Amino acid sequence: MEATEATALPDVKSLSMDELTARFNELELPSYRVTQVLEWLYRRRATGWAAMTNLPKTLRESLAGHFNFFVPALVACQGEWGGTQKFLWRLADGNLIECVLLPANPGIYGEGSDRHTLCVSTQVGCAYGCKFCASGLEGWKRNLTAGEIVEQILSIERWVASQLAPASPPAKPDRYIDNLVIMGMGEPLANFGALMKALSILNAPWGGGIGARKITISTSGLAPQIRQLAAEPAQFRLAVSLHGATDEVRDRIMPVNRKYPLRELEAACQEYVRLKGKMISLEYILIAGVNDSLSQAKPLAELARRLHAKINLIPYNRVDGLAWERPAESAQEAFLDSLLQNQALATLRREKGHDIDAACGQLRLKTERAARAGV
Ligand code: SAH
Ligand code: SF4
């Protein structure tokens, strides 16, 4: 009974400042209370109303009765501090999501050097079923709410603060995460509304304060939503998961290509580039014997040139239970050379997360399978 009531309450971290202000007005609270609460939520990363010690106790109790306040529980963390680290979180309904903290990595996404980049999930599972991907292996469960997307940043920052100063709360309530890549579990553009809401909160000066140019959204190629994103005012960066330069190759590994074949995807990307005036990235995982033939390099380079896009080559990360492999380093280099010879802008990522199941969805899949097996 109580749980039902609690879930029906608005989630405080899914609300914009205007929405929160409207609710506080209804509760006849002065507007400075909104400022105080926002400071606690996004600067001080409070874990509940009780922590907001400059609010009267009766007010904190009253707010707890009007808003849902959720903080996910850490289930697992893989990797070493300073390197790529992967985190598995449990949501209120028991579902598991992942996010990945990436070490400083000069200029892969965004301008200049990416300092502290977090790879964020937008759905539990994924409906798009790309053949090589762990996130899609067991289908789609649900969309994340805006608050659950926002919480990933806050939860990681709390964890970082606890590592830096285990016994005390963070002295400086500044942002630790300054770059976001929306490349975790799920297809971000299939959860468009919640994603836009979360990013507006993370971008707002009263919220996360993370610049739109420091936020990269990755999509498997949902052409209509790419156009929708192009019409949004915010200047997010766009990365398109291409993984094949012809419909024949793409159809084999990405079912979404049957719905939005390359011609349609390219037209949507052209519109994005035209309206935003920004360079997009084409992500291309190299999978041995599937898409690494040099016959793909020429059409890939041509497509990138037409779109004025840069190509990020990523060696495939093995997924348990799937037979796909990354090509030998020499084959990766040969593919890169061929792109460069065809006058494309391209880089090859020397993957850092290979040893910790960095590809999205793997840690969750392993944990859920182990739980089912009673391990
Ligand atoms: N659904 C979105 C974003 C999440 S996937 C998308 O597909 O773009 C983020 C990126 O990880 C995508 O480029 C995806 O193709 C890639 N990826 C998935 N599985 C991978 C694996 N095993 N190794 C390397 N990259 C992988
Ligand atoms: Fe979904 Fe992206 Fe994985 Fe494809 S690559 S199954 S779209 S998460």
Side-chain angles (χ1 to χ4, degrees), residues 334-361:
F335 197 88
L336 174 67
D337 284 347
S338 178
L339 291 177
L340 298 176
Q341 272 160 25
N342 283 288
Q343 276 91 45
L345 197 56
T347 55
L348 170 63
R349 195 181 312 170
R350 275 83 185 177
E351 193 59 64
K352 288 191 170 129
H354 199 39
D355 51 336
I356 60 150
D357 304 331
C360 62

mmCIF file of all heavy atoms in Angstrom, residues 334-361:
data_model
loop_
_atom_site.group_PDB
_atom_site.id
_atom_site.type_symbol
_atom_site.label_atom_id
_atom_site.label_comp_id
_atom_site.label_asym_id
_atom_site.label_seq_id
_atom_site.Cartn_x
_atom_site.Cartn_y
_atom_site.Cartn_z
ATOM 1 N N ALA A 334 45.153 -1.734 -40.858
ATOM 2 C CA ALA A 334 44.972 -1.701 -42.319
ATOM 3 C C ALA A 334 43.658 -1.011 -42.675
ATOM 4 O O ALA A 334 43.581 -0.249 -43.643
ATOM 5 C CB ALA A 334 45.000 -3.124 -42.880
ATOM 6 N N PHE A 335 42.615 -1.275 -41.864
ATOM 7 C CA PHE A 335 41.318 -0.647 -42.125
ATOM 8 C C PHE A 335 41.433 0.863 -41.927
ATOM 9 O O PHE A 335 40.962 1.648 -42.754
ATOM 10 C CB PHE A 335 40.261 -1.240 -41.178
ATOM 11 C CG PHE A 335 38.843 -0.976 -41.603
ATOM 12 C CD1 PHE A 335 38.183 -1.841 -42.461
ATOM 13 C CD2 PHE A 335 38.155 0.141 -41.142
ATOM 14 C CE1 PHE A 335 36.871 -1.602 -42.859
ATOM 15 C CE2 PHE A 335 36.842 0.391 -41.533
ATOM 16 C CZ PHE A 335 36.204 -0.489 -42.394
ATOM 17 N N LEU A 336 42.114 1.257 -40.842
ATOM 18 C CA LEU A 336 42.315 2.692 -40.586
ATOM 19 C C LEU A 336 43.086 3.329 -41.744
ATOM 20 O O LEU A 336 42.696 4.390 -42.250
ATOM 21 C CB LEU A 336 43.081 2.880 -39.263
ATOM 22 C CG LEU A 336 43.499 4.311 -38.938
ATOM 23 C CD1 LEU A 336 42.278 5.187 -38.667
ATOM 24 C CD2 LEU A 336 44.432 4.340 -37.710
ATOM 25 N N ASP A 337 44.182 2.684 -42.164
ATOM 26 C CA ASP A 337 44.995 3.236 -43.259
ATOM 27 C C ASP A 337 44.160 3.447 -44.507
ATOM 28 O O ASP A 337 44.273 4.461 -45.195
ATOM 29 C CB ASP A 337 46.159 2.292 -43.591
ATOM 30 C CG ASP A 337 47.245 2.394 -42.537
ATOM 31 O OD1 ASP A 337 47.195 3.347 -41.729
ATOM 32 O OD2 ASP A 337 48.117 1.513 -42.507
ATOM 33 N N SER A 338 43.295 2.465 -44.781
ATOM 34 C CA SER A 338 42.475 2.565 -45.984
ATOM 35 C C SER A 338 41.516 3.759 -45.889
ATOM 36 O O SER A 338 41.316 4.471 -46.884
ATOM 37 C CB SER A 338 41.720 1.252 -46.169
ATOM 38 O OG SER A 338 40.907 1.343 -47.281
ATOM 39 N N LEU A 339 40.963 3.993 -44.707
ATOM 40 C CA LEU A 339 40.084 5.170 -44.529
ATOM 41 C C LEU A 339 40.873 6.451 -44.764
ATOM 42 O O LEU A 339 40.402 7.377 -45.441
ATOM 43 C CB LEU A 339 39.495 5.201 -43.114
ATOM 44 C CG LEU A 339 38.473 4.128 -42.756
ATOM 45 C CD1 LEU A 339 38.052 4.279 -41.294
ATOM 46 C CD2 LEU A 339 37.243 4.215 -43.663
ATOM 47 N N LEU A 340 42.075 6.491 -44.204
ATOM 48 C CA LEU A 340 42.880 7.710 -44.318
ATOM 49 C C LEU A 340 43.291 7.943 -45.774
ATOM 50 O O LEU A 340 43.273 9.069 -46.262
ATOM 51 C CB LEU A 340 44.112 7.625 -43.400
ATOM 52 C CG LEU A 340 43.783 7.515 -41.883
ATOM 53 C CD1 LEU A 340 45.052 7.332 -41.054
ATOM 54 C CD2 LEU A 340 42.995 8.734 -41.387
ATOM 55 N N GLN A 341 43.622 6.835 -46.454
ATOM 56 C CA GLN A 341 43.969 6.975 -47.878
ATOM 57 C C GLN A 341 42.793 7.498 -48.693
ATOM 58 O O GLN A 341 42.965 8.153 -49.701
ATOM 59 C CB GLN A 341 44.398 5.622 -48.442
ATOM 60 C CG GLN A 341 45.884 5.378 -48.253
ATOM 61 C CD GLN A 341 46.216 3.900 -48.350
ATOM 62 O OE1 GLN A 341 45.482 3.141 -48.987
ATOM 63 N NE2 GLN A 341 47.298 3.497 -47.711
ATOM 64 N N ASN A 342 41.594 7.180 -48.232
ATOM 65 C CA ASN A 342 40.393 7.680 -48.918
ATOM 66 C C ASN A 342 39.943 9.035 -48.375
ATOM 67 O O ASN A 342 38.766 9.401 -48.485
ATOM 68 C CB ASN A 342 39.260 6.657 -48.805
ATOM 69 C CG ASN A 342 39.452 5.499 -49.775
ATOM 70 O OD1 ASN A 342 39.291 5.667 -50.977
ATOM 71 N ND2 ASN A 342 39.839 4.352 -49.262
ATOM 72 N N GLN A 343 40.896 9.744 -47.775
ATOM 73 C CA GLN A 343 40.680 11.130 -47.299
ATOM 74 C C GLN A 343 39.585 11.288 -46.249
ATOM 75 O O GLN A 343 38.913 12.310 -46.207
ATOM 76 C CB GLN A 343 40.363 12.080 -48.464
ATOM 77 C CG GLN A 343 41.572 12.613 -49.179
ATOM 78 C CD GLN A 343 41.944 11.716 -50.333
ATOM 79 O OE1 GLN A 343 41.077 11.307 -51.086
ATOM 80 N NE2 GLN A 343 43.222 11.417 -50.453
ATOM 81 N N ALA A 344 39.404 10.246 -45.414
ATOM 82 C CA ALA A 344 38.427 10.398 -44.327
ATOM 83 C C ALA A 344 39.157 10.793 -43.051
ATOM 84 O O ALA A 344 40.346 10.509 -42.891
ATOM 85 C CB ALA A 344 37.669 9.100 -44.114
ATOM 86 N N LEU A 345 38.415 11.444 -42.167
ATOM 87 C CA LEU A 345 38.930 11.782 -40.851
ATOM 88 C C LEU A 345 38.608 10.578 -39.958
ATOM 89 O O LEU A 345 37.427 10.263 -39.764
ATOM 90 C CB LEU A 345 38.183 13.021 -40.374
ATOM 91 C CG LEU A 345 38.724 13.850 -39.244
ATOM 92 C CD1 LEU A 345 40.136 14.301 -39.565
ATOM 93 C CD2 LEU A 345 37.806 15.060 -39.032
ATOM 94 N N ALA A 346 39.631 9.903 -39.455
ATOM 95 C CA ALA A 346 39.335 8.672 -38.704
ATOM 96 C C ALA A 346 40.370 8.426 -37.616
ATOM 97 O O ALA A 346 41.534 8.801 -37.761
ATOM 98 C CB ALA A 346 39.312 7.477 -39.658
ATOM 99 N N THR A 347 39.906 7.825 -36.513
ATOM 100 C CA THR A 347 40.830 7.407 -35.456
ATOM 101 C C THR A 347 40.489 5.976 -35.065
ATOM 102 O O THR A 347 39.346 5.541 -35.217
ATOM 103 C CB THR A 347 40.693 8.278 -34.181
ATOM 104 O OG1 THR A 347 39.328 8.258 -33.767
ATOM 105 C CG2 THR A 347 41.123 9.705 -34.409
ATOM 106 N N LEU A 348 41.478 5.294 -34.556
ATOM 107 C CA LEU A 348 41.276 3.929 -34.060
ATOM 108 C C LEU A 348 41.449 3.966 -32.558
ATOM 109 O O LEU A 348 42.496 4.385 -32.064
ATOM 110 C CB LEU A 348 42.320 3.005 -34.701
ATOM 111 C CG LEU A 348 42.437 1.585 -34.141
ATOM 112 C CD1 LEU A 348 41.145 0.795 -34.357
ATOM 113 C CD2 LEU A 348 43.613 0.860 -34.810
ATOM 114 N N ARG A 349 40.420 3.560 -31.834
ATOM 115 C CA ARG A 349 40.514 3.573 -30.374
ATOM 116 C C ARG A 349 41.254 2.317 -29.909
ATOM 117 O O ARG A 349 40.872 1.215 -30.263
ATOM 118 C CB ARG A 349 39.126 3.603 -29.750
ATOM 119 C CG ARG A 349 39.194 3.994 -28.289
ATOM 120 C CD ARG A 349 37.844 4.009 -27.634
ATOM 121 N NE ARG A 349 36.816 4.707 -28.375
ATOM 122 C CZ ARG A 349 35.529 4.652 -28.047
ATOM 123 N NH1 ARG A 349 35.125 3.935 -27.034
ATOM 124 N NH2 ARG A 349 34.631 5.310 -28.742
ATOM 125 N N ARG A 350 42.312 2.560 -29.172
ATOM 126 C CA ARG A 350 42.992 1.410 -28.573
ATOM 127 C C ARG A 350 42.240 1.151 -27.275
ATOM 128 O O ARG A 350 42.427 1.841 -26.291
ATOM 129 C CB ARG A 350 44.490 1.679 -28.345
ATOM 130 C CG ARG A 350 45.360 1.401 -29.565
ATOM 131 C CD ARG A 350 45.366 2.573 -30.541
ATOM 132 N NE ARG A 350 46.120 2.262 -31.776
ATOM 133 C CZ ARG A 350 46.222 3.087 -32.793
ATOM 134 N NH1 ARG A 350 45.608 4.256 -32.785
ATOM 135 N NH2 ARG A 350 46.914 2.735 -33.854
ATOM 136 N N GLU A 351 41.344 0.169 -27.337
ATOM 137 C CA GLU A 351 40.318 -0.032 -26.310
ATOM 138 C C GLU A 351 40.913 -0.253 -24.931
ATOM 139 O O GLU A 351 41.843 -1.026 -24.759
ATOM 140 C CB GLU A 351 39.470 -1.245 -26.721
ATOM 141 C CG GLU A 351 38.198 -1.430 -25.958
ATOM 142 C CD GLU A 351 37.269 -0.237 -26.061
ATOM 143 O OE1 GLU A 351 36.796 0.082 -27.162
ATOM 144 O OE2 GLU A 351 37.036 0.362 -25.005
ATOM 145 N N LYS A 352 40.318 0.454 -23.949
ATOM 146 C CA LYS A 352 40.836 0.341 -22.587
ATOM 147 C C LYS A 352 40.007 -0.590 -21.716
ATOM 148 O O LYS A 352 40.466 -1.039 -20.698
ATOM 149 C CB LYS A 352 40.857 1.725 -21.938
ATOM 150 C CG LYS A 352 41.922 2.620 -22.497
ATOM 151 C CD LYS A 352 42.067 3.845 -21.639
ATOM 152 C CE LYS A 352 43.290 4.634 -22.032
ATOM 153 N NZ LYS A 352 43.018 6.026 -22.268
ATOM 154 N N GLY A 353 38.783 -0.808 -22.090
ATOM 155 C CA GLY A 353 37.901 -1.505 -21.166
ATOM 156 C C GLY A 353 37.759 -2.997 -21.428
ATOM 157 O O GLY A 353 36.907 -3.648 -20.838
ATOM 158 N N HIS A 354 38.601 -3.536 -22.303
ATOM 159 C CA HIS A 354 38.438 -4.913 -22.739
ATOM 160 C C HIS A 354 38.362 -5.899 -21.579
ATOM 161 O O HIS A 354 37.556 -6.808 -21.551
ATOM 162 C CB HIS A 354 39.625 -5.257 -23.630
ATOM 163 C CG HIS A 354 39.379 -6.446 -24.494
ATOM 164 N ND1 HIS A 354 38.161 -6.690 -25.091
ATOM 165 C CD2 HIS A 354 40.184 -7.465 -24.863
ATOM 166 C CE1 HIS A 354 38.240 -7.803 -25.800
ATOM 167 N NE2 HIS A 354 39.450 -8.296 -25.671
ATOM 168 N N ASP A 355 39.238 -5.663 -20.581
ATOM 169 C CA ASP A 355 39.356 -6.628 -19.486
ATOM 170 C C ASP A 355 38.209 -6.550 -18.487
ATOM 171 O O ASP A 355 38.074 -7.397 -17.641
ATOM 172 C CB ASP A 355 40.699 -6.404 -18.761
ATOM 173 C CG ASP A 355 40.884 -4.943 -18.366
ATOM 174 O OD1 ASP A 355 40.266 -4.078 -19.014
ATOM 175 O OD2 ASP A 355 41.628 -4.681 -17.415
ATOM 176 N N ILE A 356 37.384 -5.533 -18.553
ATOM 177 C CA ILE A 356 36.315 -5.443 -17.540
ATOM 178 C C ILE A 356 34.937 -5.454 -18.188
ATOM 179 O O ILE A 356 34.008 -4.845 -17.694
ATOM 180 C CB ILE A 356 36.473 -4.208 -16.631
ATOM 181 C CG1 ILE A 356 36.423 -2.913 -17.454
ATOM 182 C CG2 ILE A 356 37.727 -4.271 -15.796
ATOM 183 C CD1 ILE A 356 35.870 -1.763 -16.663
ATOM 184 N N ASP A 357 34.795 -6.177 -19.263
ATOM 185 C CA ASP A 357 33.486 -6.281 -19.917
ATOM 186 C C ASP A 357 32.920 -4.902 -20.212
ATOM 187 O O ASP A 357 31.770 -4.610 -19.912
ATOM 188 C CB ASP A 357 32.472 -7.018 -19.018
ATOM 189 C CG ASP A 357 32.956 -8.381 -18.613
ATOM 190 O OD1 ASP A 357 33.713 -8.973 -19.394
ATOM 191 O OD2 ASP A 357 32.582 -8.836 -17.534
ATOM 192 N N ALA A 358 33.753 -4.030 -20.786
ATOM 193 C CA ALA A 358 33.318 -2.635 -20.942
ATOM 194 C C ALA A 358 32.166 -2.473 -21.918
ATOM 195 O O ALA A 358 31.451 -1.506 -21.848
ATOM 196 C CB ALA A 358 34.481 -1.757 -21.376
ATOM 197 N N ALA A 359 31.994 -3.413 -22.821
ATOM 198 C CA ALA A 359 30.878 -3.246 -23.759
ATOM 199 C C ALA A 359 29.576 -3.245 -22.984
ATOM 200 O O ALA A 359 29.398 -3.982 -22.023
ATOM 201 C CB ALA A 359 30.883 -4.373 -24.778
ATOM 202 N N CYS A 360 28.670 -2.384 -23.434
ATOM 203 C CA CYS A 360 27.469 -2.134 -22.639
ATOM 204 C C CYS A 360 26.647 -3.403 -22.434
ATOM 205 O O CYS A 360 26.538 -4.238 -23.300
ATOM 206 C CB CYS A 360 26.621 -1.054 -23.314
ATOM 207 S SG CYS A 360 26.031 -1.493 -24.951
ATOM 208 N N GLY A 361 26.098 -3.506 -21.249
ATOM 209 C CA GLY A 361 25.156 -4.583 -20.966
ATOM 210 C C GLY A 361 25.752 -5.882 -20.448
ATOM 211 O O GLY A 361 25.031 -6.760 -19.983
#
